[in-house]
Amino acid sequence: MIVQLHAPMTGWALPLEQVPDPVFADRMMGDGFAIDPLDGVVRAPCDATVIAVAPTRHSVSLRLANGAELLIHVGLETVALAGNGFTAQVRDGETVTLGQPLLLVDLDPVALQAKSLITPVTVTSDGYAVTVLASEARVTAGDPIADVSPVANDVAAADLGEDTAHCTIRVPLANGIHARPAARIVAALKPFTAEVTIVAHNRPANARSIVALLSAGIRHDDEIAIGARGPDARAAIATIAQLIEQGMDEEAHAPAAPAAAPTPAVSGDGLLHGIRAAPGFALGRVFQFRPGDVAVPEHGHGVASENAALDTARARLIAAADGASGAGADIAAAHRALVDDPELLGAAQAQIAQGKSAAFAWRSAIRGHAEAIRATGDRLLIERIADLKDIERQVIALLTGSDATLPVPPRGAIVIADELLPSHFAILASAGIAGIGTAFGGPTAHASILAASAGIPMLVAGGTALLALNDGSEIILDADRGTIDPAPDRAAIDAGNVRLSERAQRVAAEAAAALAPCVMADGTRIEIFANLANAAEAAHAVTLGAEGCGLLRTEFLFLDRDAAPVEAEQRAAYAAIAAGLDGRPLIVRTLDIGGDKPVAYLPFPHEENPALGNRGIRFSLDRPDLLAQQFRAILAGVPAAQCRIMLPMIIDGGELATARAILDEARAALGIATPVPLGVMVETPAAAMLAASLARDADFLSIGSNDLTQYALAADRGNPAVAAKVDAFHPAVLHLIARAAEGARTHGRWIGVCGGIASDPLAAPILIGLGVTELSATPAAIPALKAVVRHLTMADCRALAERALAASTAADVHALLEGAA
């Protein structure tokens, strides 16, 4: 079926190659035409269905009667206007007729701020040909301009043979296939050789490519077709279908309403409003952070030479990612996956084959995929574009031997940017900035995670008005309230300085006292340990006052790789962490995978509810060879005086006894005569109820409050629909903690808490009053936590705990704590 398109705007019709943007000019977004508009009404070019109007209202996607998908993108780089100058006249899912207004565009202000008003119109779905009828001529809205017709598929389903498989499913994920599910799909396919394709909205996507899956714009309740070709096609397709249908721990429910577009101007209260990405308060002078791009040559020095240069640069970046640690490790792993993405690499190699330089080809590939992701209009996906920009910058720096000169802000400045790349963060943090405000981005973007880790207040999605703030002007950023005061008066500045001074004095006093052991006001000793995931964190935690490690998450050694770490690698990693603690106790938790932490190289069959499935100690006892190997690595790597071992997800003494037998065999194999303390995590209601029985054989108990809370309250902490119910202050959870502490006392065992509640200073008096004698917190929380505990008495803590146990709801407990503060 041929669908004729009519000009959606009055103006000059142009061929795509005249669009001053390689993403469109090189047809990365599909074939079509462009219009340089003379009026501000975008009309339907034919009868169609609206797929999506972008949240910033700069583009609209339509589905034509023959199934083709059409993108009308008004202007170039207009997404940065955050909706300024654009008014939508239709909604997603609406049926429109030829000539019906879709968008209204205020051409004058848009022209002043955008790169260009030229409007590309492209068919973004494969399998369709575009025949342009009018080009390089003046057209009036409604004039015939192009035909869109389907073309025959080169590979018919009947020709695929017996080594193919396919199925059709609906996507139950609340937020569709965004970054996390896409990464899990790619990881799950690593053991298979089959080519796997996911078709959504009549557009195929390589299921081994995170970028392709993000660009597909797969949303909640979309119907998708999964096809595979290869010797293990059926197994591959069954694995992916089950993974998606089981929800990937993102339960099926109506998707959350999209976030509002960034505020474009100062609101009625005189403040700029955004979203808190990292808590805190800052007062300082504006520094507009505007890094430029490195100039790259368009033409290369031969296909072989340019491909080799690109491979070398990618390999160097992958090696650097593999060596990352701390808060940057997860971000580096995400960047590593993108650098290795087959769609990005294929797009770059195609450009190199046309004679382009590796740098030019890489930039074109990145920006083409970024524009495709931006066109989906999905807020969560758009946040990931910063990661694409970051690997563009890093690879080009390696290819050219030079990086864009990054402006260095003065100490105490508040950095303002359109959005921040993770690789920009190090230079800003080392400069001693006071805060960060961005026009775009989101609270889950990687730069936001780094800011929170570094303790730098950050506000995101503040709108383009932030970019108009004058360099050097004094502003107040209150990330906790999500506001920026662009013109504070003297009273506000004085009050802000008082607030900062009081906080600085408090933080300095807490830091100075944090290195001393933690003793309550009545002389009771409470140990304050740190939760750790690598050696760098260990050394840093000690400087913050950690008296040991209460939880070493050993999963960091097993995730994001193609094979399990060998014993020697594990031993070296544990030894480095022990050295970083400089003799302080180290509690190593054995491998806790399964549930929301599967690994590609270990078999995990489909489970209806992975959180209640074969995870933690259950998996380890099913693979005693892996558990024995880990025990040997721990025993050999951690000095005996420091070493403690802890088992996750225990429900009864039988599991403990079996694990201890494997540990004893490992000790014997290494010739270690002295028993090593072996404890259990109390993170199931069963373990809490049987704490006295467990404490008879365990050397210590440690409460994992995060899992204990979700299991006690039957609320998945990864499900936005019920996440608010997951509150460790709920009286039911506190009763379980009290029961566990009572069981530990029965046999003279110590009991700690290593879940999220242990990092909250407000929780300390209740936990101590319930019988807890060790708190293992995030390193940054330790100074403040010690300061609070030192002012407590056991009598007051027990009285507060009794009142909390008598409460009816979590809200009652919170009110109780606010009154006691």
Side-chain angles (χ1 to χ4, degrees):
M1 176 183 179
I2 298 175
V3 173
Q4 186 169 86
L5 302 182
H6 300 256
M9 306 176 79
T10 296
W12 287 93
L14 302 170
L16 278 183
E17 50 266 28
Q18 291 189 23
V19 177
D21 187 324
V23 169
F24 292 102
D26 294 343
R27 289 174 167 76
M28 297 178 193
M29 293 292 289
D31 199 5
F33 56 91
I35 292 179
D36 194 354
L38 297 175
D39 73 353
V41 182
V42 180
R43 300 180 183 276
C46 61
D47 295 347
T49 302
V50 178
I51 298 173
V53 177
T56 47
R57 303 179 293 283
H58 71 291
S59 69
V60 59
S61 298
L62 305 173
R63 181 174 290 110
L64 311 187
N66 61 3
E69 293 186 0
L70 191 76
L71 172 68
I72 304 175
H73 192 288
V74 182
L76 302 177
E77 299 185 8
T78 44
V79 68
L81 305 186
N84 263 348
F86 297 92
T87 305
Q89 299 296 293
V90 292
R91 294 177 295 180
D92 295 1
E94 185 174 338
T95 299
V96 296
T97 57
L98 172 64
Q100 181 176 339
L102 305 176
L103 304 172
L104 301 181
V105 186
D106 192 346
L107 293 182
D108 290 340
V110 171
L112 289 173
Q113 299 179 75
K115 177 180 178 180
S116 170
L117 282 176
I118 291 177
T119 297
V121 181
T122 61
V123 174
T124 58
S125 49
D126 292 335
Y128 295 88
V130 180
T131 303
V132 179
L133 307 176
S135 183
E136 298 189 82
R138 191 183 191 282
V139 293
T140 300
D143 288 350
I145 195 168
D147 287 337
V148 179
S149 56
V151 295
N153 195 332
D154 292 337
V155 182
D159 298 330
L160 295 181
E162 63 181 5
D163 58 348
T164 64
H166 70 276
C167 70
T168 301
I169 63 173
R170 285 200 174 274
V171 176
L173 283 64
N175 293 302
I177 296 181
H178 56 93
R180 178 175 174 271
R184 291 192 61 183
I185 290 170
V186 171
L189 283 173
K190 286 184 179 179
F192 302 100
T193 60
E195 297 178 3
V196 182
T197 301
I198 294 179
V199 179
H201 313 302
N202 296 314
R203 186 167 61 242
N206 181 354
R208 295 184 182 274
S209 166
I210 294 175
V211 169
L213 291 173
L214 296 184
S215 302
I218 300 172
R219 300 177 178 178
H220 171 76
D221 206 37
D222 276 353
E223 184 175 84
I224 62 173
I226 309 174
R229 170 196 289 274
D232 50 10
R234 294 182 185 277
I237 213 168
T239 297
I240 297 307
Q242 289 176 355
L243 183 65
I244 295 172
E245 286 188 311
Q246 75 186 26
M248 301 191 202
D249 301 319
E250 301 185 16
E251 298 296 333
H253 58 80
T263 307
V266 178
S267 63
D269 58 6
L271 303 176
L272 295 168
H273 291 259
I275 301 170
R276 184 182 85 165
F281 177 88
L283 190 157
R285 296 194 178 277
V286 169
F287 182 85
Q288 291 284 355
F289 184 72
R290 298 184 177 116
D293 284 336
V294 172
V296 299
E298 180 175 355
H299 301 290
H301 299 288
V303 173
S305 174
E306 297 298 329
N307 274 327
L310 180 58
D311 288 344
T312 299
R314 290 172 55 249
R316 288 175 62 187
L317 193 56
I318 288 170
D322 288 343
S325 61
D330 290 340
I331 297 168
H335 286 189
R336 185 194 191 286
L338 288 172
V339 171
D340 221 13
D341 191 280
E343 291 290 313
L344 281 178
L345 182 58
Q349 289 171 336
Q351 292 266 312
I352 290 173
Q354 296 174 17
K356 307 298 185 184
S357 73
F360 182 90
W362 186 251
R363 177 169 286 169
S364 296
I366 290 285
R367 295 189 176 181
H369 283 91
E371 191 61 35
I373 292 171
R374 186 176 285 113
T376 68
D378 188 301
R379 177 180 56 82
L380 290 174
L381 300 188
I382 290 171
E383 287 185 21
R384 300 281 80 84
I385 290 176
D387 294 310
L388 284 171
K389 290 182 179 178
D390 216 356
I391 63 168
E392 173 197 324
R393 187 195 67 75
Q394 293 179 69
V395 169
I396 286 177
L398 292 170
L399 285 168
T400 62
S402 61
D403 200 349
T405 301
L406 296 179
V408 180
R411 188 170 189 83
I414 295 179
V415 169
I416 301 296
D418 56 354
E419 68 182 329
L420 206 59
L421 305 186
S423 63
H424 291 156
F425 190 81
I427 191 170
L428 297 179
S430 63
I433 61 173
I436 301 169
T438 66
F440 305 103
T444 66
H446 284 145
S448 302
I449 295 170
L450 290 173
S453 176
I456 297 175
M458 183 173 179
L459 179 146
V460 297
T464 54
L466 268 67
L467 305 179
L469 295 174
N470 294 323
D471 264 316
S473 61
E474 194 165 27
I475 63 173
I476 292 175
L477 184 152
D478 191 338
D480 295 327
R481 294 176 56 204
T483 63
I484 287 179
D485 187 341
D489 58 22
R490 176 46 52 189
I493 292 172
D494 290 344
N497 281 322
V498 170
R499 180 174 172 181
L500 290 172
S501 176
E502 291 174 346
R503 181 182 183 277
Q505 292 175 19
R506 185 182 72 252
V507 169
E510 290 171 353
L515 298 180
C518 186
V519 179
M520 294 172 62
D522 58 9
T524 305
R525 178 77 166 95
I526 300 293
E527 292 180 310
I528 306 296
F529 284 9
N531 297 334
L532 303 176
N534 55 55
E537 288 185 0
H540 180 57
V542 169
T543 67
L544 294 173
E547 300 170 24
C549 170
L551 170 63
L552 174 62
R553 301 179 178 94
T554 58
E555 298 77 48
F556 78 96
L557 281 167
F558 292 80
L559 299 174
D560 299 317
R561 56 191 298 159
D562 298 325
V566 297
E567 189 170 325
E569 181 184 352
Q570 292 188 55
R571 180 174 63 248
Y574 303 143
I577 293 167
L581 289 171
D582 194 23
R584 294 168 178 81
L586 170 55
I587 300 176
V588 184
R589 183 179 70 185
T590 59
L591 185 60
D592 185 14
I593 57 174
D596 63 345
K597 290 177 287 187
V599 291
Y601 52 84
L602 293 174
F604 280 91
H606 170 66
E607 295 180 321
E608 289 298 330
N609 191 336
L612 302 180
N614 195 29
R615 56 171 296 198
I617 192 62
R618 301 170 182 179
F619 176 80
S620 293
L621 294 181
D622 278 352
R623 288 294 305 270
D625 56 323
L626 289 179
L627 182 59
Q629 181 189 66
Q630 187 173 30
F631 278 150
R632 292 193 301 269
I634 295 169
L635 293 170
V638 182
Q642 286 182 265
C643 189
R644 323 267 194 278
I645 299 176
M646 183 163 64
L647 306 173
M649 284 295 293
I650 290 287
I651 62 169
D652 59 40
E655 293 171 331
L656 172 59
T658 303
R660 188 181 288 279
I662 298 172
L663 176 61
D664 289 342
E665 290 175 3
R667 283 198 301 112
L670 296 174
I672 298 174
T674 306
V676 175
L678 181 65
V680 301
M681 289 195 71
V682 178
E683 48 192 337
T684 66
M689 298 302 292
L690 296 179
S693 172
L694 289 169
R696 183 175 56 245
D697 299 313
D699 297 300
F700 63 89
L701 280 67
S702 184
I703 295 167
S705 61
N706 299 346
D707 272 328
L708 181 63
T709 301
Q710 74 165 347
Y711 291 139
L713 303 180
D716 180 359
R717 53 192 169 121
N719 183 344
V722 295
K725 296 181 180 295
V726 185
D727 190 331
F729 288 102
H730 193 285
V733 180
L734 299 182
H735 275 279
L736 289 172
I737 294 173
R739 179 68 175 260
E742 180 185 357
R745 283 195 303 271
T746 301
H747 296 281
R749 310 299 191 193
W750 67 263
I751 185 168
V753 178
C754 60
I757 195 173
S759 299
D760 188 346
L762 283 176
I766 288 181
L767 295 175
I768 292 170
L770 293 175
V772 170
T773 59
E774 179 256 10
L775 299 171
S776 190
T778 58
I782 289 174
L785 185 59
K786 280 190 169 183
V788 167
V789 172
R790 288 191 177 112
H791 288 89
L792 302 175
T793 66
M794 186 58 72
D796 288 343
C797 289
R798 286 173 177 162
L800 184 63
E802 286 296 324
R803 294 173 65 193
L805 291 174
S808 299
T809 66
D812 293 341
V813 177
H814 284 286
L816 178 64
L817 291 174
E818 290 174 6

